[in-house]
Amino acid sequence: MEVSLEEFGTLDFDVKAWLNRQFAAQTNDDSAATDDARAQRLVTQLHFLATNAQQNSDRIKARFRHQAAQIGRDIAGLGKAVSATQAQLVGLTQAVDRQAASAPTMAAVVELGTAQRQLARTVEALGLQRSYTDLPQKVDGLVEARDFGRAWALVDGVAGAAGLDADEVHACRERIEAGVVGELGRAVAERDAEAAARMGQLLAAHGQAELVETEFVRVRAQIGVKALEGRYDDIGGLLHAALALITEERTFAEAAEMSDAVQEQLIERFADAMQTEIQRHVDRAENIGAVSVRGVYDALVGFCADAGLDTDESSALSVGAAHVQRVPLALHHLLEPLRECVERLGMAEADRIQGGSLGALRAVDYKTGRAEAYVRDAAREMDCVFSDISETLDSLLVVVPAAMARRAAEDVLVAVSEASGVISAGIATLADSAGFDVSDLAAATELDTPIADLTGAAFQPLANEDKLDAVSRSVALALLAEQLENHTATVVANVRHRLADMYSHPQSLIAAALNGQNEVSETMDLETADLDIEVPEISAVAAAQAVVFLLGGAFRAPLERIPASSVWHGAAARSSMGVTVPQFSCAPSEDAVEIGEKMHILLPELEQAVAMHAQCAPDAMPLYTFVLQHMSACDGDEDDSPLLAMLALVLRSVQRAFVRQVCCVEAPLSALGCRQLAADTEYIASVAASFGAMPDPDFAELLTSVLRHNAEASDILESPELELTELQRALHALLIHSDN
C-alpha cells in the first residue's frame, strides 16, 4: 500500500474513510496481520512521508539561488500540501484516539505526533523561504512607487535572519540607495527643497550623509556652470550673473538643509568655472594699463565682499594657541589670473610709461633762440609723465599686495630717473652749444678752473646773442628741473606714505590670495626700515650750477690772465740818471678793472635772467630762490633780498677765484708787485662792497695780508708758535721775501 500526498489535498477528504481504506487494503494484502501491525505499518508510511517532505525542502533550498522563481512556485504548492496534510493528520490522530487501541497502537500515535512536529518546522522554514523569495520583488515595487522608507524598513526587518543570503540583502539595499539618490538628484535639479531634505535625511539615517552632499554639489554645480557659460563684454556682467547665481544657490542649499561646507564647495566649483573668462578680462586690462587692471581688481574685490568670500568665518581655524585664517579655495580660483598679472605689473607699467609720456618728453627738442616755447612744451610733457606715474602708482599700490608693493613702485619710479636724464641731456646739449664741458658744472663757482678755449658763448657778456640764448636755455632747464623736483618729491612722499600704511595694517584675505598664500599672515615679514627710494637730485643741482656758471663765465678770461701778468715782478721805474722814481700809489691793473666792470654789470644781467625765468613760468619759484636752494656755497646772510643773495653768491665765487689765481703767481712778488696786488685787491673788494655783499673768507684773508705787509707782519707770519692755514702759507711765500 502506498500513501499519496495528493489524497490529502482533495476537498472531500475524510480521515476516517481514508483510515478504513488503508486498513482494508492492508487486510486484503495480509489477512493474517493484526490491527496493531497494520497501525504500525501506517505510522511508518506517514513517518516516511514526513521525511520525504523534509528532503524535498532541503532540495529546494539547494536549488534556490539559481531557480528562485521556480522554487518559489514549487514551495508555494508544497506549502499548501503540507498544510492540508497537517490538518488531515490532526483529524487522523483524533480518529485513532477514538479507537480502542492497544499500547502498541498508542506508541504509534506518539510517533505520529513527532512526525507532525517535524512537518510544522518544515512549514515554518517554507514560510521564511517564501518571504525571502518575495523580497527583491517587494523592494522593486516599493522603489518604483518611490516609497523608499518602507523599502528600507522591509530590508532592515529581514536583515540578519537565518537562512537569508547577505549578498542578496546587500543588492536590495543598493537598489534602494540608487533610487533615493536618483530622487535626490531630481529634487535638487528641480529645486524641490522639501523632497531634497527628505531624501537627504533618509540617506543620512543609513550612513550616506557624504553621498547627499556630493550629489547636491554635483547637480547644482553642473547647472550653475552651464548658466555661467558664454563670453561677457565686461567683467561686471560676469560677476553680476555669478553673484545672483550664488545667492540663489545659498538660499536653496539652506532650505534643503545643506551644510556651510556644501555651499563653499559649490562656490569653489563656480569660481573655477569663471577662471577662464576672468583671465580674458585680466589680459585685456593688462594691455591697457594699471588703471584698467585696478578696475578688474575692484570688481573682483567687490564681488568677493558681496559673496562673503573675504570675511567667511569658516576660514578661521584654531591651531594650538594660534588663530589661523584660511584663504578659501574660491578666492584662489577667482584671483589666480590677477595674481599672475600683478607679479609683472610694475615692469609692464614702467615699459608703458617709457614708450608713452616719457617718450613724448624726450621728443621735445630745443633748436635755437629763446627757450620759452621749449619750456612750455617740455613742461607740458613732464606734467603728463608725472600724471601718468601718479595715476599708475595709485592703481598699482591698490592692486599689488604689500609683499610686492615696494618692488613694483620702484619699477615705476625708474621713470623719474629717466625724466631727470632728459634734463641732464638738455644741460649737456647746452654745454656743447655754449662752449664748455658739462663736467665743469660740479665746480661752477670755482671760476679758476682752467678752460682751454674761452671763445664760447658761455664766456661772453650777456649782450652777446649766443650768450643770451645760452642763459635762456639754462633758465629753461632750471625751470624744468624745479618742476621735476617738485613732482618727484610729491610722488615719492606719496609712495612712502602708502607703503608705510600697507605695512602697518594686517594682511587681508584678498592680499594673501594674491600673494599665493593658503593662510593669512598674522605679521608680515617685510623690511619696513628699507623704504627709501632714491630721488634723483642731480638734474636740479646741475641746472642751478649751469645758471651760475653762465653768469660768471665772462670773468674767466681776466681771471686766467692774472698768474702770467708781468706786474707782479716788475721793478720800480728809474730816471735817466739811474735814480729810482718813487711810486706813492698804484692804480688797479687792467685785469682787475675788467673784473670790476663785469661786477658792475652783473646785477643787470642777473635781473635779465630772472625776467626770462618769470616770462617762461610766472607761477614758478623765482630763479634766484631755486639757485640758492641748490648751491651749497650760499652763506645765507642776505635772506632779506634773495636777488642780492644770488648776486653775492656769484661775487664771492669771483673773489675766491681771484685769490686762487693770485696763489698761482710765481713767488716772491716784487715790492711793486705787492703794491699792485694790494691795489687790485682793494679795488675788487670795494666793488663787491658796493652791492652790500660779504666778502669771501679767502678773499678777506688776502686783503688783510696785503694791507699789513710790513716787517712786523712778516715776523708774525714766521713765528713758529702760529698754526698757519694753507692759504696763509701761500701768501707768506708771495709776500714775506719781497722787497719793501
Side-chain angles (χ1 to χ4, degrees):
M1 180 192 67
E2 182 179 356
V3 179
S4 175
L5 288 174
E6 285 76 5
E7 298 182 29
F8 292 93
T10 61
L11 295 176
D12 58 349
F13 179 76
D14 182 73
V15 175
K16 184 176 181 179
W18 183 81
L19 287 173
N20 289 331
R21 286 196 304 272
Q22 297 297 323
F23 282 125
Q26 292 183 21
T27 300
N28 294 330
D29 295 337
D30 188 6
S31 58
T34 63
D35 292 338
D36 291 339
R38 295 188 188 98
Q40 181 65 37
R41 188 181 300 120
L42 181 59
V43 169
T44 301
Q45 288 177 334
L46 292 174
H47 187 273
F48 175 77
L49 181 63
T51 303
N52 187 44
Q54 181 65 43
Q55 291 174 349
N56 289 337
S57 176
D58 293 339
R59 283 196 300 275
I60 289 172
K61 289 180 181 180
R63 296 183 326 190
F64 182 77
R65 290 184 183 178
H66 304 288
Q67 300 176 344
Q70 183 63 41
I71 289 174
R73 289 191 294 270
D74 293 345
I75 290 175
L78 181 61
K80 292 178 182 179
V82 171
S83 297
T85 302
Q86 186 177 13
Q88 293 168 359
L89 285 175
V90 171
L92 179 61
T93 302
Q94 292 175 351
V96 173
D97 289 341
R98 286 194 296 269
Q99 295 181 356
S102 61
T105 302
M106 295 302 297
V109 171
V110 170
E111 291 183 5
L112 182 62
T114 302
Q116 181 182 2
R117 288 192 295 273
Q118 290 176 346
L119 284 174
R121 287 194 296 271
T122 300
V123 170
E124 181 181 359
L126 291 174
L128 182 61
Q129 295 300 329
R130 185 182 298 111
S131 298
Y132 179 46
T133 303
D134 294 342
L135 181 63
Q137 291 81 5
K138 290 180 180 178
V139 168
D140 290 341
L142 291 172
V143 169
E144 289 180 4
R146 296 182 180 178
D147 194 352
F148 304 109
R150 287 183 58 192
W152 232 317
L154 177 62
V155 174
D156 291 342
V158 301
L164 292 182
D165 190 343
D167 292 338
E168 187 64 30
V169 174
H170 179 70
C172 290
R173 289 185 184 278
E174 288 184 338
R175 287 198 292 275
I176 298 172
E177 184 178 293
V180 174
V181 171
E183 180 65 13
L184 173 64
R186 181 202 63 78
V188 171
E190 297 177 0
R191 292 186 179 275
D192 187 347
E194 183 179 352
R198 188 169 62 252
M199 294 301 102
Q201 292 169 358
L202 192 58
L203 286 170
H206 289 82
Q208 298 296 331
E210 293 183 359
L211 187 59
V212 177
E213 297 181 351
T214 301
E215 184 67 11
F216 185 92
V217 172
R218 184 190 68 80
V219 174
R220 293 315 307 170
Q222 186 176 14
I223 295 173
V225 168
K226 187 175 181 180
L228 291 173
E229 289 178 351
R231 294 171 70 87
Y232 293 82
D233 292 336
D234 60 90
I235 188 73
L238 171 66
L239 298 181
H240 178 75
L243 183 61
L245 176 65
I246 289 174
T247 302
E248 293 175 358
E249 295 300 332
R250 276 181 168 161
T251 302
F252 175 56
E254 291 173 358
E257 301 178 3
M258 294 294 114
S259 65
D260 292 341
V262 171
Q263 300 178 33
E264 185 175 351
Q265 291 177 35
L266 195 57
I267 295 174
E268 288 173 4
R269 299 282 288 274
F270 294 158
D272 186 46
M274 295 164 62
Q275 196 174 78
T276 301
E277 185 68 10
I278 293 174
Q279 182 70 63
R280 185 173 70 87
H281 289 289
V282 168
D283 291 342
R284 185 171 63 182
E286 187 177 7
N287 291 332
I288 298 174
V291 176
S292 184
V293 173
R294 180 179 177 178
V296 175
Y297 170 85
D298 289 340
L300 286 172
V301 170
F303 170 78
C304 293
D306 293 339
L309 297 178
D310 61 344
T311 57
D312 190 0
E313 294 181 358
S314 65
S315 65
L317 304 174
S318 294
V319 181
H323 183 73
V324 179
Q325 196 171 19
R326 178 178 56 85
V327 179
L329 184 58
L331 270 185
H332 283 295
H333 289 326
L334 291 170
L335 298 177
E336 179 65 23
L338 195 62
R339 183 176 71 84
E340 296 175 358
C341 167
V342 163
E343 289 179 349
R344 57 179 179 265
L345 189 58
M347 289 298 297
E349 286 302 287
D351 293 341
R352 185 183 61 81
I353 294 173
Q354 290 274 356
S357 55
L358 195 56
L361 175 61
R362 291 194 188 96
V364 178
D365 190 20
Y366 174 74
K367 303 299 183 182
T368 57
R370 298 291 293 271
E372 285 84 350
Y374 168 73
V375 172
R376 181 180 63 252
D377 295 342
R380 181 184 64 249
E381 297 303 334
M382 188 175 293
D383 284 339
C384 292
V385 169
F386 278 90
S387 176
D388 205 0
I389 292 174
S390 298
E391 192 175 56
T392 297
L393 288 172
D394 284 343
S395 298
L396 194 71
L397 295 180
V398 169
V399 177
V400 177
M404 308 178 190
R406 180 175 176 272
R407 186 188 65 191
E410 288 178 339
D411 290 340
V412 174
L413 286 175
V414 170
V416 177
S417 298
E418 295 292 336
S420 177
V422 172
I423 305 300
S424 299
I427 293 173
T429 303
L430 168 65
D432 290 340
S433 63
F436 64 91
D437 189 345
V438 71
S439 62
D440 290 331
L441 293 178
T445 58
E446 307 301 331
L447 299 178
D448 58 317
T449 305
I451 294 181
D453 185 7
L454 296 177
T455 61
F459 312 107
Q460 307 302 317
L462 197 57
N464 181 281
E465 189 66 27
D466 292 337
K467 175 65 173 284
L468 193 62
D469 290 345
V471 172
S472 174
R473 179 71 181 274
S474 71
V475 167
L477 292 170
L479 277 169
L480 295 178
E482 176 193 347
Q483 183 182 9
L484 172 67
E485 188 175 60
N486 293 337
H487 279 313
T488 301
T490 301
V491 167
V492 172
N494 180 53
V495 170
R496 287 175 176 164
H497 174 75
R498 294 283 293 277
L499 290 177
D501 185 62
M502 291 174 70
Y503 293 166
S504 64
H505 285 78
Q507 191 180 40
S508 66
L509 280 169
I510 297 292
L514 282 175
N515 209 37
Q517 301 170 209
N518 293 324
E519 297 174 355
V520 174
S521 300
E522 286 285 333
T523 57
M524 291 179 289
D525 187 15
L526 301 172
E527 298 179 0
T528 55
D530 188 19
L531 295 179
D532 290 335
I533 299 171
E534 184 178 353
V535 181
E537 297 178 349
I538 184 61
S539 59
V541 174
Q545 290 174 340
V547 173
V548 175
F549 188 94
L550 289 172
L551 289 174
F555 293 93
R556 288 277 185 168
L559 285 172
E560 292 201 0
R561 291 196 297 266
I562 289 175
S565 177
S566 60
V567 300
W568 309 124
H569 304 95
R574 294 181 180 272
S575 66
S576 59
M577 302 296 293
V579 178
T580 301
V581 179
Q583 187 174 2
F584 300 99
S585 63
C586 286
S589 64
E590 292 182 1
D591 293 333
V593 170
E594 185 177 349
I595 291 173
E597 289 174 350
K598 292 183 182 298
M599 283 183 169
H600 280 296
I601 63 172
L602 182 60
L603 181 58
E605 290 181 346
L606 177 57
E607 290 174 339
Q608 188 173 357
V610 171
M612 292 178 185
H613 185 278
Q615 288 174 2
C616 291
D619 298 330
M621 177 191 302
L623 177 63
Y624 42 76
T625 304
F626 172 79
V627 171
L628 292 174
Q629 282 186 354
H630 295 89
M631 296 297 293
S632 59
C634 179
D635 294 329
D637 55 320
E638 288 86 11
D639 291 339
D640 57 339
S641 178
L643 179 62
L644 292 179
M646 182 175 173
L647 176 65
L649 175 67
V650 180
L651 292 177
R652 279 194 290 272
S653 68
V654 173
Q655 291 176 337
R656 186 162 51 253
F658 178 79
V659 173
R660 294 183 182 178
Q661 292 296 84
V662 167
C663 291
C664 293
V665 176
E666 183 180 356
L669 302 183
S670 64
L672 180 59
C674 289
R675 287 194 291 270
Q676 187 61 58
L677 178 59
D680 290 351
T681 304
E682 290 182 90
Y683 172 71
I684 292 174
S686 64
V687 174
S690 67
F691 295 103
M694 293 292 293
D696 177 77
D698 290 350
F699 186 80
E701 180 67 30
L702 172 62
L703 182 61
T704 301
S705 297
V706 296
L707 290 178
R708 70 183 183 187
H709 177 60
N710 52 50
E712 182 179 357
S714 299
D715 292 340
I716 294 175
L717 285 174
E718 289 181 321
S719 175
E721 289 82 5
L722 293 178
E723 292 185 4
L724 303 180
T725 64
E726 183 178 351
L727 175 60
Q728 289 172 337
R729 294 186 183 280
L731 295 178
H732 167 69
L734 286 172
L735 303 174
I736 193 65
H737 297 296
S738 60
D739 298 330
N740 293 308

